[in-house]
Amino acid sequence: MSTRSRIRAQGPLRPFELRLRLPNGSSAVVVMDARNVGEALDMARNALGDVQVIESR
């Protein structure tokens, strides 16, 4: 598969808003660009630790 085919197959980035419960019990709202909500959640977990989703938009 060529590089051009791989880039085209990945899809566009869209903004996702996640309301999260943080490991310390507080909550936060984050907005990030991702291809899908799963990728957005993975990025949030990489940055913030073991978070739980309260709501996503």
Side-chain angles (χ1 to χ4, degrees), residues 3 9-10 15-16 28 30-31 33 36 43 50 56:
T3 303
Q10 289 179 350
F16 287 90
V30 296
V31 177
D33 291 332
N36 57 55
M43 290 189 298
D50 187 24
S56 65

Side-chain angles (χ1 to χ4, degrees), residues 33-49:
D33 291 332
R35 288 174 185 81
N36 57 55
V37 70
E39 184 180 67
L41 181 56
D42 286 345
M43 290 189 298
R45 286 188 171 142
N46 286 339
L48 301 171

Side-chain angles (χ1 to χ4, degrees), residues 1-11 35:
M1 178 183 283
S2 72
T3 303
R4 178 175 287 162
S5 297
R6 275 193 301 252
I7 292 171
R8 191 179 311 131
Q10 289 179 350
R35 288 174 185 81

Side-chain angles (χ1 to χ4, degrees), residues 12-53:
L13 295 178
R14 301 182 344 197
F16 287 90
E17 180 179 310
L18 302 174
R19 185 176 308 242
L20 305 172
R21 176 81 54 211
L22 303 178
N24 66 3
S26 62
S27 62
V29 175
V30 296
V31 177
M32 60 188 69
D33 291 332
R35 288 174 185 81
N36 57 55
V37 70
E39 184 180 67
L41 181 56
D42 286 345
M43 290 189 298
R45 286 188 171 142
N46 286 339
L48 301 171
D50 187 24
V51 298
Q52 295 178 344
V53 177

